[in-house]
Amino acid sequence: MTEKLFSDVEYNYKKINDRIAEAALKTGKSREDITFLAATKTVPAEVINYAVSLGLDHIGENRVQELLAKYNDYNLEDCSLQFIGHLQTNKVKQIVDKVDLIQSVDSVKLASEIARQSLKIGKTTDILIEVNIGKEENKSGVYPENLEELLCQISEIEGVKVKGLMTIPPICDNKHKILKYFNNMHNIFIDISQKKLDNIDMTILSMGMSADYFEAISEGANMVRIGSALFGARDYT
Ligand SMILES: *Cc1c(COP(=O)(O)O)cnc(C)c1O
């Protein structure tokens, strides 16, 4: 691992923190109100651990196999490990003992399996419900109009606890459109929060990635998931 890569990560880490603070301030919040989760796909554990040594305290993987391969090398003493990708039901048992939160739950079936595997090890797993805010076909996430019903069903399942919502909006060619998706998502989040559904905590709104985390925070996100802006362009080779 080159010194250059480490110094880039350090530079990027500071810059992102400053921009998060700036975006938070714009909405009357402070830096501490926003969780900076690093999306770590393709990034070696050594580089992730370097970022953790700088103060990074949330990381997210989006593939089960990659998480398992790196798991023993993460320094998780002061860092939360989350799952942020699409999760297949048959792989739940491989990660449920290893993660603090699963961000991408969009069905009763998946929630039930997470619950079942969690109870087996005496745990309740925190989850977010993924919303398909752009209603794109072939994309994960519950459609907004089906969210409340899904929440009601999941709220009755022992072994999982809903902590909020996450979304990946459609790829947009202009900032105006993306702001609208973020704004819609925030309205849904507020709306659901105000309904005070039993056994549902609406505390986390996870949206915004490298290209748009500033906009996401200004529209109400309190967790952003950032990969390439921190670690550089991903190398899939
Ligand atoms: C990769 C990934 C991100 C981060 O993407 P960048 O554009 O590199 O910041 C965020 N969320 C999820 C679910 C991801 O898979």
Side-chain angles (χ1 to χ4, degrees), residues 59-138:
I59 62 174
E61 288 287 351
N62 72 337
R63 290 166 137 211
V64 168
Q65 217 175 347
E66 186 175 343
L67 185 153
L68 296 175
K70 294 194 257 181
Y71 185 71
N72 287 328
D73 297 323
Y74 298 130
N75 176 6
L76 293 176
E77 235 159 83
D78 302 306
C79 186
S80 155
L81 173 63
Q82 307 193 358
F83 193 79
I84 62 175
H86 178 66
L87 181 57
Q88 287 169 282
T89 317
N90 63 349
K91 295 196 173 157
V92 167
K93 65 171 171 298
Q94 297 179 269
I95 64 159
V96 93
D97 58 330
K98 300 179 180 67
V99 297
D100 298 310
L101 185 143
I102 298 174
Q103 292 217 4
S104 37
V105 178
D106 61 0
S107 69
V108 173
K109 183 175 168 231
L110 179 58
S112 302
E113 178 60 9
I114 295 170
R116 197 171 74 88
Q117 297 296 342
S118 300
L119 290 178
K120 272 195 199 171
I121 55 168
K123 168 181 181 182
T124 293
T125 298
D126 290 340
I127 61 175
L128 303 184
I129 303 302
E130 180 172 1
V131 179
N132 186 346
I133 192 66
K135 298 176 74 163
E136 294 170 280
E137 286 179 42
N138 310 321

Coordinates of all heavy atoms in Angstrom, one line a residue, residues 59-138:
I59 N -18.8 1.7 9.0 CA -18.4 1.2 7.7 C -19.6 0.3 7.2 O -20.3 -0.3 8.0 CB -17.1 0.4 7.6 CG1 -17.1 -0.8 8.5 CG2 -15.9 1.4 8.0 CD1 -15.8 -1.7 8.4
G60 N -19.7 0.2 5.9 CA -20.8 -0.6 5.3 C -20.3 -1.4 4.1 O -19.7 -0.8 3.2
E61 N -20.6 -2.7 4.1 CA -20.2 -3.5 3.0 C -21.5 -3.9 2.3 O -22.6 -3.9 2.8 CB -19.6 -4.9 3.5 CG -18.2 -4.7 4.0 CD -17.1 -4.4 2.9 OE1 -17.5 -4.5 1.7 OE2 -16.0 -4.1 3.3
N62 N -21.4 -4.2 1.0 CA -22.7 -4.5 0.3 C -22.6 -5.9 -0.4 O -23.6 -6.2 -1.1 CB -23.1 -3.4 -0.6 CG -22.3 -3.3 -1.9 OD1 -21.1 -3.7 -1.8 ND2 -22.8 -2.7 -2.9
R63 N -21.6 -6.7 -0.1 CA -21.7 -8.1 -0.6 C -21.2 -9.0 0.6 O -20.2 -8.8 1.3 CB -20.7 -8.3 -1.7 CG -21.2 -7.6 -3.0 CD -20.2 -7.5 -4.0 NE -20.8 -7.8 -5.3 CZ -20.1 -8.3 -6.3 NH1 -18.9 -8.7 -6.1 NH2 -20.7 -8.6 -7.4
V64 N -22.0 -10.0 0.7 CA -21.8 -11.0 1.8 C -20.4 -11.6 1.7 O -19.7 -11.7 2.7 CB -22.9 -12.1 1.9 CG1 -22.5 -13.2 2.8 CG2 -24.2 -11.4 2.2
Q65 N -20.1 -12.1 0.5 CA -18.8 -12.8 0.4 C -17.6 -11.9 0.7 O -16.7 -12.3 1.4 CB -18.7 -13.2 -1.1 CG -18.0 -14.5 -1.2 CD -18.0 -15.0 -2.7 OE1 -18.7 -14.4 -3.5 NE2 -17.3 -16.0 -2.9
E66 N -17.7 -10.6 0.3 CA -16.6 -9.7 0.5 C -16.5 -9.4 2.0 O -15.4 -9.3 2.6 CB -16.8 -8.4 -0.3 CG -15.6 -7.5 -0.2 CD -15.8 -6.2 -1.1 OE1 -16.6 -6.3 -2.0 OE2 -15.0 -5.3 -0.8
L67 N -17.7 -9.2 2.7 CA -17.7 -8.9 4.1 C -17.0 -10.1 4.9 O -16.2 -9.9 5.7 CB -19.1 -8.7 4.6 CG -19.3 -8.3 6.0 CD1 -20.6 -7.5 6.2 CD2 -19.4 -9.5 7.0
L68 N -17.4 -11.3 4.5 CA -16.8 -12.5 5.2 C -15.3 -12.6 5.0 O -14.5 -12.9 5.9 CB -17.5 -13.8 4.7 CG -19.0 -13.9 5.1 CD1 -19.6 -15.1 4.4 CD2 -19.2 -13.8 6.6
A69 N -14.9 -12.3 3.7 CA -13.4 -12.4 3.4 C -12.6 -11.4 4.2 O -11.5 -11.6 4.6 CB -13.2 -12.1 1.9
K70 N -13.2 -10.2 4.5 CA -12.4 -9.1 5.2 C -12.7 -9.1 6.7 O -12.0 -8.4 7.4 CB -12.8 -7.8 4.6 CG -12.4 -7.6 3.1 CD -12.5 -6.1 2.7 CE -13.7 -5.8 1.9 NZ -13.8 -4.4 1.5
Y71 N -13.7 -9.8 7.1 CA -14.2 -9.7 8.5 C -13.1 -9.8 9.6 O -13.1 -8.9 10.5 CB -15.3 -10.7 8.8 CG -16.0 -10.5 10.1 CD1 -16.8 -9.4 10.3 CD2 -15.7 -11.3 11.2 CE1 -17.3 -9.1 11.6 CE2 -16.3 -11.1 12.4 CZ -17.1 -10.0 12.6 OH -17.6 -9.8 13.8
N72 N -12.3 -10.7 9.5 CA -11.3 -10.9 10.5 C -10.2 -9.8 10.5 O -9.4 -9.7 11.5 CB -10.6 -12.3 10.4 CG -11.6 -13.4 10.9 OD1 -12.4 -13.1 11.8 ND2 -11.5 -14.5 10.3
D73 N -10.1 -9.1 9.5 CA -9.1 -8.0 9.4 C -9.6 -6.6 9.7 O -8.8 -5.7 9.9 CB -8.5 -8.0 8.0 CG -7.8 -9.3 7.6 OD1 -7.2 -9.9 8.5 OD2 -8.0 -9.8 6.5
Y74 N -10.9 -6.4 9.8 CA -11.4 -5.1 10.2 C -11.0 -4.8 11.7 O -11.1 -5.7 12.5 CB -12.9 -5.0 10.2 CG -13.6 -5.3 8.9 CD1 -14.7 -6.2 8.9 CD2 -13.3 -4.6 7.8 CE1 -15.4 -6.4 7.7 CE2 -14.1 -4.8 6.6 CZ -15.1 -5.7 6.6 OH -15.8 -5.9 5.4
N75 N -10.7 -3.6 11.9 CA -10.6 -3.1 13.3 C -11.9 -2.6 13.7 O -12.3 -1.4 13.5 CB -9.5 -2.1 13.4 CG -9.4 -1.5 14.8 OD1 -10.0 -2.0 15.7 ND2 -8.6 -0.5 15.0
L76 N -12.7 -3.4 14.4 CA -14.1 -3.0 14.8 C -14.2 -2.6 16.2 O -15.3 -2.4 16.7 CB -15.0 -4.2 14.5 CG -15.2 -4.5 13.0 CD1 -16.1 -5.8 12.8 CD2 -15.8 -3.4 12.2
E77 N -13.1 -2.3 16.9 CA -13.2 -1.9 18.3 C -14.0 -0.6 18.5 O -14.8 -0.5 19.4 CB -11.8 -1.7 18.8 CG -11.5 -2.5 20.1 CD -10.0 -2.7 20.3 OE1 -9.5 -1.8 20.9 OE2 -9.5 -3.8 19.9
D78 N -13.7 0.4 17.6 CA -14.5 1.6 17.7 C -15.3 1.9 16.5 O -15.5 3.1 16.1 CB -13.5 2.8 17.9 CG -12.6 2.5 19.2 OD1 -13.2 2.3 20.3 OD2 -11.4 2.5 19.0
C79 N -15.7 0.9 15.8 CA -16.3 1.1 14.5 C -17.5 0.1 14.3 O -17.4 -1.0 14.6 CB -15.3 0.9 13.4 SG -15.9 1.3 11.8
S80 N -18.6 0.7 13.8 CA -19.8 -0.1 13.6 C -19.7 -0.7 12.2 O -19.4 0.0 11.2 CB -21.0 0.8 13.8 OG -22.1 0.3 13.0
L81 N -20.1 -2.0 12.0 CA -20.1 -2.6 10.7 C -21.6 -2.8 10.3 O -22.3 -3.4 11.1 CB -19.4 -4.0 10.8 CG -19.5 -4.8 9.5 CD1 -18.8 -4.1 8.3 CD2 -18.8 -6.2 9.7
Q82 N -21.9 -2.3 9.1 CA -23.3 -2.5 8.7 C -23.3 -3.2 7.3 O -22.3 -3.2 6.6 CB -23.9 -1.1 8.5 CG -23.8 -0.2 9.8 CD -24.7 1.0 9.9 OE1 -25.4 1.3 8.9 NE2 -24.6 1.7 11.0
F83 N -24.5 -3.6 7.0 CA -24.7 -4.2 5.6 C -25.5 -3.3 4.8 O -26.6 -2.9 5.3 CB -25.3 -5.6 5.7 CG -25.2 -6.3 4.4 CD1 -24.0 -6.9 4.0 CD2 -26.2 -6.4 3.5 CE1 -23.8 -7.6 2.8 CE2 -26.1 -7.0 2.3 CZ -24.9 -7.6 1.9
I84 N -25.1 -2.9 3.7 CA -25.8 -1.9 2.9 C -26.3 -2.3 1.5 O -27.0 -1.6 0.8 CB -25.0 -0.5 2.7 CG1 -23.7 -0.8 2.0 CG2 -24.7 0.1 4.1 CD1 -22.9 0.5 1.7
G85 N -26.0 -3.5 1.2 CA -26.3 -4.0 -0.2 C -27.6 -4.8 -0.2 O -28.3 -5.0 0.8
H86 N -27.9 -5.3 -1.4 CA -29.1 -6.2 -1.5 C -28.7 -7.6 -0.8 O -27.7 -8.2 -1.1 CB -29.4 -6.4 -3.0 CG -30.5 -7.4 -3.2 ND1 -31.8 -7.1 -2.8 CD2 -30.6 -8.6 -3.7 CE1 -32.6 -8.1 -3.1 NE2 -31.9 -9.0 -3.7
L87 N -29.6 -8.0 0.1 CA -29.3 -9.2 0.8 C -30.2 -10.3 0.5 O -31.4 -10.2 0.5 CB -29.4 -8.9 2.3 CG -29.1 -10.0 3.3 CD1 -27.7 -10.6 3.1 CD2 -29.2 -9.5 4.8
Q88 N -29.6 -11.5 0.1 CA -30.5 -12.6 -0.2 C -30.8 -13.4 1.1 O -30.0 -13.5 2.0 CB -29.7 -13.6 -1.1 CG -29.6 -13.1 -2.6 CD -28.6 -13.9 -3.4 OE1 -27.4 -13.8 -3.2 NE2 -29.2 -14.8 -4.2
T89 N -32.0 -13.8 1.1 CA -32.5 -14.5 2.4 C -31.6 -15.6 2.8 O -31.3 -15.8 4.0 CB -33.9 -15.1 2.1 OG1 -34.7 -14.1 1.4 CG2 -34.6 -15.3 3.4
N90 N -31.1 -16.4 1.8 CA -30.3 -17.6 2.2 C -28.9 -17.2 2.7 O -28.2 -18.1 3.2 CB -30.2 -18.6 1.0 CG -29.5 -18.0 -0.2 OD1 -29.3 -16.8 -0.2 ND2 -29.2 -18.8 -1.1
K91 N -28.5 -15.9 2.7 CA -27.2 -15.5 3.2 C -27.3 -14.8 4.5 O -26.2 -14.5 5.1 CB -26.5 -14.6 2.1 CG -26.2 -15.4 0.9 CD -25.2 -14.7 0.0 CE -24.8 -15.6 -1.2 NZ -24.3 -14.8 -2.3
V92 N -28.5 -14.6 5.0 CA -28.7 -13.8 6.2 C -27.9 -14.4 7.4 O -27.2 -13.7 8.1 CB -30.2 -13.7 6.6 CG1 -30.3 -13.2 8.0 CG2 -30.9 -12.9 5.6
K93 N -27.9 -15.7 7.5 CA -27.3 -16.4 8.7 C -25.8 -16.2 8.7 O -25.2 -16.3 9.8 CB -27.7 -17.8 8.8 CG -27.2 -18.7 7.7 CD -27.5 -20.2 8.1 CE -27.2 -21.2 7.0 NZ -28.1 -21.0 5.8
Q94 N -25.2 -15.9 7.5 CA -23.7 -15.7 7.5 C -23.3 -14.4 8.1 O -22.1 -14.2 8.4 CB -23.2 -15.9 6.1 CG -23.5 -17.3 5.5 CD -23.0 -17.3 4.0 OE1 -23.7 -17.1 3.1 NE2 -21.7 -17.7 3.9
I95 N -24.2 -13.4 8.1 CA -23.7 -12.1 8.6 C -24.4 -11.6 9.8 O -24.0 -10.6 10.4 CB -23.9 -11.0 7.4 CG1 -25.3 -10.8 7.1 CG2 -23.0 -11.4 6.2 CD1 -25.6 -9.5 6.4
V96 N -25.5 -12.2 10.2 CA -26.3 -11.6 11.2 C -25.6 -11.4 12.6 O -25.8 -10.5 13.3 CB -27.7 -12.4 11.4 CG1 -27.6 -13.5 12.4 CG2 -28.8 -11.5 11.6
D97 N -24.6 -12.3 12.8 CA -23.8 -12.2 14.0 C -22.7 -11.2 13.9 O -22.0 -10.9 14.9 CB -23.2 -13.6 14.4 CG -22.3 -14.1 13.3 OD1 -22.6 -13.8 12.1 OD2 -21.4 -14.8 13.6
K98 N -22.5 -10.6 12.7 CA -21.3 -9.8 12.5 C -21.7 -8.3 12.3 O -20.8 -7.4 12.4 CB -20.6 -10.3 11.2 CG -20.1 -11.7 11.4 CD -19.3 -12.2 10.2 CE -18.8 -13.6 10.4 NZ -19.9 -14.6 10.5
V99 N -22.9 -8.0 12.0 CA -23.3 -6.6 11.7 C -24.2 -6.0 12.8 O -24.9 -6.6 13.5 CB -24.0 -6.5 10.3 CG1 -23.1 -7.0 9.2 CG2 -25.3 -7.3 10.3
D100 N -24.0 -4.6 12.9 CA -24.8 -3.9 13.8 C -26.1 -3.4 13.2 O -27.1 -3.2 14.0 CB -24.0 -2.6 14.3 CG -22.7 -3.0 15.0 OD1 -22.8 -3.9 15.9 OD2 -21.7 -2.5 14.6
L101 N -26.2 -3.3 11.9 CA -27.4 -2.9 11.3 C -27.4 -3.3 9.8 O -26.4 -3.4 9.2 CB -27.5 -1.3 11.4 CG -28.7 -0.6 10.9 CD1 -29.0 0.6 11.8 CD2 -28.6 -0.1 9.5
I102 N -28.6 -3.6 9.4 CA -28.8 -4.0 8.0 C -29.7 -3.0 7.3 O -30.8 -2.8 7.7 CB -29.4 -5.4 7.8 CG1 -28.5 -6.5 8.4 CG2 -29.7 -5.8 6.3 CD1 -29.0 -7.9 8.5
Q103 N -29.1 -2.3 6.3 CA -29.8 -1.1 5.8 C -30.8 -1.3 4.7 O -31.5 -0.4 4.2 CB -28.7 -0.1 5.2 CG -27.8 0.5 6.2 CD -27.4 1.9 5.8 OE1 -27.9 2.5 4.8 NE2 -26.6 2.5 6.6
S104 N -30.9 -2.5 4.2 CA -31.5 -2.7 2.9 C -32.6 -3.7 2.9 O -32.6 -4.7 2.1 CB -30.5 -3.1 1.9 OG -29.5 -4.0 2.5
V105 N -33.5 -3.6 3.9 CA -34.6 -4.5 4.0 C -35.9 -4.0 3.3 O -36.3 -2.9 3.6 CB -34.9 -4.8 5.5 CG1 -36.1 -5.8 5.7 CG2 -33.7 -5.3 6.2
D106 N -36.4 -4.8 2.4 CA -37.6 -4.3 1.7 C -38.7 -5.3 1.6 O -39.6 -5.2 0.8 CB -37.2 -3.9 0.3 CG -36.5 -5.0 -0.5 OD1 -36.5 -6.1 0.0 OD2 -36.2 -4.7 -1.7
S107 N -38.7 -6.4 2.4 CA -39.8 -7.3 2.4 C -39.9 -8.0 3.8 O -39.0 -8.0 4.6 CB -39.5 -8.4 1.4 OG -38.4 -9.2 1.8
V108 N -41.2 -8.5 4.0 CA -41.4 -9.2 5.2 C -40.6 -10.5 5.3 O -40.1 -10.9 6.3 CB -43.0 -9.6 5.3 CG1 -43.2 -10.5 6.5 CG2 -43.8 -8.3 5.4
K109 N -40.4 -11.1 4.1 CA -39.7 -12.3 4.0 C -38.2 -12.1 4.5 O -37.7 -12.9 5.3 CB -39.7 -12.8 2.6 CG -39.0 -14.1 2.3 CD -39.2 -14.6 0.9 CE -38.2 -15.7 0.6 NZ -37.4 -15.5 -0.6
L110 N -37.6 -11.1 4.0 CA -36.2 -10.8 4.5 C -36.2 -10.5 5.9 O -35.3 -11.0 6.7 CB -35.6 -9.7 3.6 CG -34.2 -9.3 3.9 CD1 -33.2 -10.5 3.8 CD2 -33.7 -8.2 3.0
A111 N -37.1 -9.6 6.4 CA -37.1 -9.2 7.8 C -37.3 -10.4 8.7 O -36.7 -10.6 9.7 CB -38.2 -8.2 8.0
S112 N -38.2 -11.3 8.2 CA -38.5 -12.5 9.1 C -37.3 -13.4 9.2 O -37.0 -14.0 10.3 CB -39.6 -13.3 8.4 OG -40.8 -12.6 8.3
E113 N -36.5 -13.6 8.1 CA -35.3 -14.4 8.2 C -34.2 -13.8 9.0 O -33.6 -14.4 9.8 CB -34.8 -14.7 6.7 CG -33.5 -15.5 6.7 CD -33.7 -16.9 7.3 OE1 -34.8 -17.4 7.7 OE2 -32.6 -17.6 7.4
I114 N -34.1 -12.4 8.9 CA -33.1 -11.8 9.8 C -33.5 -12.0 11.3 O -32.7 -12.2 12.1 CB -33.1 -10.2 9.5 CG1 -32.5 -10.0 8.0 CG2 -32.2 -9.5 10.5 CD1 -32.6 -8.6 7.5
A115 N -34.8 -11.9 11.5 CA -35.3 -12.0 12.9 C -35.1 -13.5 13.4 O -34.6 -13.7 14.5 CB -36.8 -11.7 12.9
R116 N -35.4 -14.4 12.5 CA -35.2 -15.8 12.9 C -33.8 -16.1 13.3 O -33.5 -16.7 14.3 CB -35.7 -16.7 11.7 CG -36.0 -18.2 12.1 CD -36.6 -18.9 10.9 NE -35.7 -19.1 9.8 CZ -34.9 -20.2 9.8 NH1 -35.0 -21.1 10.7 NH2 -34.1 -20.4 8.8
Q117 N -32.9 -15.7 12.4 CA -31.4 -15.9 12.6 C -30.9 -15.1 13.8 O -30.0 -15.6 14.6 CB -30.6 -15.6 11.4 CG -30.9 -16.5 10.2 CD -30.6 -18.0 10.4 OE1 -29.9 -18.3 11.3 NE2 -31.3 -18.8 9.6
S118 N -31.5 -14.0 14.1 CA -31.1 -13.1 15.2 C -31.5 -13.8 16.5 O -30.7 -13.9 17.5 CB -31.7 -11.7 15.1 OG -31.3 -11.1 13.9
L119 N -32.7 -14.2 16.6 CA -33.2 -14.9 17.8 C -32.4 -16.1 18.2 O -32.2 -16.4 19.4 CB -34.7 -15.2 17.7 CG -35.6 -14.0 17.6 CD1 -37.1 -14.4 17.5 CD2 -35.5 -13.1 18.9
K120 N -32.0 -16.8 17.2 CA -31.2 -18.0 17.4 C -29.9 -17.7 18.2 O -29.4 -18.5 18.9 CB -30.7 -18.6 16.1 CG -31.6 -19.6 15.4 CD -30.8 -20.3 14.3 CE -31.7 -21.0 13.3 NZ -30.9 -21.5 12.2
I121 N -29.4 -16.5 18.0 CA -28.1 -16.1 18.7 C -28.5 -15.1 19.8 O -27.6 -14.3 20.3 CB -27.0 -15.6 17.7 CG1 -27.6 -14.4 16.9 CG2 -26.5 -16.7 16.9 CD1 -26.5 -13.7 16.1
G122 N -29.7 -15.0 20.1 CA -30.1 -14.1 21.3 C -30.0 -12.6 21.0 O -29.6 -11.9 21.9
K123 N -30.2 -12.2 19.8 CA -30.0 -10.9 19.4 C -31.2 -10.3 18.7 O -32.0 -11.0 18.2 CB -28.8 -10.9 18.4 CG -28.5 -9.6 17.6 CD -27.3 -9.8 16.7 CE -27.1 -8.5 16.0 NZ -26.0 -8.6 15.0
T124 N -31.4 -9.0 18.8 CA -32.3 -8.2 18.0 C -31.5 -7.4 17.0 O -30.6 -6.7 17.4 CB -33.2 -7.3 18.8 OG1 -34.1 -8.2 19.7 CG2 -34.1 -6.5 18.0
T125 N -31.8 -7.5 15.7 CA -31.0 -6.8 14.7 C -31.7 -5.5 14.3 O -32.9 -5.6 13.9 CB -30.7 -7.7 13.5 OG1 -29.9 -8.8 14.0 CG2 -29.9 -7.0 12.5
D126 N -30.9 -4.4 14.3 CA -31.5 -3.2 13.8 C -31.5 -3.2 12.3 O -30.5 -3.6 11.7 CB -30.6 -2.0 14.3 CG -30.7 -1.8 15.8 OD1 -31.7 -2.2 16.4 OD2 -29.8 -1.1 16.4
I127 N -32.6 -2.7 11.8 CA -32.7 -2.6 10.3 C -33.2 -1.3 9.8 O -33.8 -0.5 10.6 CB -33.6 -3.7 9.7 CG1 -35.0 -3.6 10.3 CG2 -33.1 -5.1 10.1 CD1 -36.0 -4.6 9.7
L128 N -32.9 -0.9 8.6 CA -33.6 0.2 7.9 C -34.4 -0.4 6.8 O -34.1 -1.5 6.3 CB -32.5 1.2 7.3 CG -31.5 1.8 8.2 CD1 -30.6 2.8 7.5 CD2 -32.1 2.4 9.4
I129 N -35.5 0.3 6.4 CA -36.3 -0.1 5.3 C -35.8 0.6 4.1 O -35.7 1.9 4.1 CB -37.8 0.1 5.6 CG1 -38.2 -0.6 6.9 CG2 -38.6 -0.3 4.4 CD1 -38.0 -2.1 6.9
E130 N -35.5 -0.1 3.0 CA -35.1 0.5 1.8 C -36.3 0.9 1.0 O -37.2 0.1 0.7 CB -34.2 -0.4 1.0 CG -33.7 0.3 -0.3 CD -32.7 -0.5 -1.1 OE1 -32.3 -1.6 -0.6 OE2 -32.3 0.0 -2.1
V131 N -36.3 2.2 0.6 CA -37.4 2.8 -0.2 C -37.0 3.0 -1.6 O -35.9 3.6 -1.8 CB -38.0 4.1 0.4 CG1 -39.1 4.6 -0.4 CG2 -38.4 3.8 1.9
N132 N -37.7 2.5 -2.6 CA -37.4 2.8 -4.0 C -38.1 4.1 -4.4 O -39.2 4.1 -5.0 CB -38.0 1.6 -4.8 CG -37.6 1.7 -6.3 OD1 -37.1 2.7 -6.8 ND2 -37.8 0.6 -7.0
I133 N -37.4 5.2 -4.1 CA -38.1 6.5 -4.2 C -38.4 6.9 -5.6 O -39.3 7.6 -5.9 CB -37.3 7.6 -3.4 CG1 -38.0 8.9 -3.3 CG2 -35.9 7.8 -4.1 CD1 -39.2 8.8 -2.4
G134 N -37.6 6.4 -6.5 CA -37.8 6.7 -8.0 C -38.7 5.7 -8.6 O -39.0 5.8 -9.8
K135 N -39.2 4.7 -7.9 CA -40.1 3.7 -8.4 C -39.5 3.1 -9.7 O -40.2 2.9 -10.7 CB -41.5 4.2 -8.6 CG -42.1 4.6 -7.3 CD -43.5 5.3 -7.4 CE -44.6 4.2 -7.7 NZ -45.9 4.8 -7.5
E136 N -38.2 2.7 -9.6 CA -37.6 2.1 -10.7 C -37.8 0.6 -10.7 O -37.6 0.0 -9.7 CB -36.1 2.4 -10.7 CG -35.7 3.9 -10.8 CD -34.2 4.1 -10.5 OE1 -33.9 4.1 -9.3 OE2 -33.4 4.2 -11.4
E137 N -38.1 0.1 -11.9 CA -38.3 -1.4 -12.0 C -36.9 -2.0 -11.8 O -35.9 -1.3 -12.1 CB -38.8 -1.7 -13.3 CG -40.3 -1.5 -13.5 CD -40.8 -1.8 -14.9 OE1 -40.4 -2.9 -15.4 OE2 -41.6 -1.0 -15.4
N138 N -36.8 -3.2 -11.4 CA -35.5 -3.9 -11.3 C -34.6 -3.3 -10.2 O -33.4 -3.5 -10.2 CB -34.7 -4.0 -12.6 CG -35.6 -4.5 -13.7 OD1 -36.4 -5.4 -13.6 ND2 -35.4 -3.9 -14.9

